[in-house]
Amino acid sequence: MRLEEFIPDAKTRALIERTREFARGFFEREGTHGFSHVERVFNLCMHIGREENADLEVLALSSLLHDIARPLEDSGKVEDHAVESARIARRFLKSLSYPEEKVEAVVHAIEAHRFSRGPEPRTLEAKILSDADKLDAIGAIGIARVFMYSGEHGRDIEASLRHFEEKILKLKDLMYTETAKRIAEERHNFTVEFIERIRREIEGEL
């Protein structure tokens, strides 16, 4: 993705790249919530944000910073990575003398990005970040992430399929924006087709 197609201002792009490098430093290893997930969410935010006429600067910064405390949650050092990521993001952006109103817009989007717990996203940018984060769990990428997680945690195929049914297949109906709903529909259908196929193979029908 060419960032200049979404962010024409060079000064803003420089801020985004600085934030990208800051965020990258929190991820020592890859995995289901590694920095590649952050990059995909960032890309989705840029595309959805442009379609929905959102503030792409706020979206860029919030998407890059939304999971920076995820490794801390995974290691048991913090309880909620969204809350801690928002706290770190506020401190980082203030150190750059970023405008207070924009800081709070970024912080709210980060705090509200988890669909499984509050707060409810109030702004368009927060809704788009939440949508993009959920979209990365559906479709081909979502399937790959489920089985990556299963490999990391010793979960078998049947347990993985239950996870699809209990969580992943419900995400389509939790989107806020019309753009995300369209993307989710296609990704959801692909996921359903995959599950039907793998179940037939498990039963030896193919």
Side-chain angles (χ1 to χ4, degrees), residues 24-123:
R24 193 191 306 273
F26 286 84
F27 298 88
E28 295 181 356
R29 57 184 292 271
E30 263 302 333
T32 50
H33 288 94
F35 195 68
S36 60
H37 162 70
V38 172
E39 294 276 28
R40 291 191 302 270
V41 171
F42 172 85
N43 291 341
L44 282 165
C45 279
M46 292 298 94
H47 287 285
I48 297 171
R50 184 166 62 182
E51 290 293 317
E52 298 286 335
N53 296 313
D55 185 328
L56 295 186
E57 181 180 313
V58 167
L59 265 179
L61 299 178
S62 59
S63 61
L64 289 171
L65 297 168
H66 83 281
D67 261 1
I68 52 178
R70 184 75 195 217
L72 298 177
E73 181 180 303
D74 291 344
S75 62
K77 294 178 181 177
V78 300
E79 182 178 346
D80 187 339
H81 76 271
V83 172
E84 184 65 13
S85 295
R87 187 186 69 81
I88 297 169
R90 177 183 279 116
R91 186 176 62 204
F92 168 71
L93 293 173
K94 283 188 173 184
S95 76
L96 302 179
S97 299
Y98 195 57
E100 181 69 23
E101 182 179 341
K102 292 252 189 179
V103 170
E104 294 311 311
V106 170
V107 165
H108 170 64
I110 295 171
E111 288 176 336
H113 82 268
R114 298 185 81 170
F115 82 93
S116 58
R117 62 177 72 182
E120 189 75 13
R122 300 186 306 271
T123 65

Side-chain angles (χ1 to χ4, degrees), residues 10 13 17 20 24 59-60 64-65 75 77 81 86 97 102 115 118 122 128 130 137 173 185 187 190-191 193 196 206:
R13 290 200 304 272
E17 292 304 335
R20 187 194 306 275
R24 193 191 306 273
L59 265 179
L64 289 171
L65 297 168
S75 62
K77 294 178 181 177
H81 76 271
S97 299
K102 292 252 189 179
F115 82 93
R122 300 186 306 271
I128 291 171
S130 179
D173 297 323
E185 187 72 32
R187 292 191 179 201
F190 181 91
T191 306
E193 183 179 336
E196 291 173 350
L206 294 179

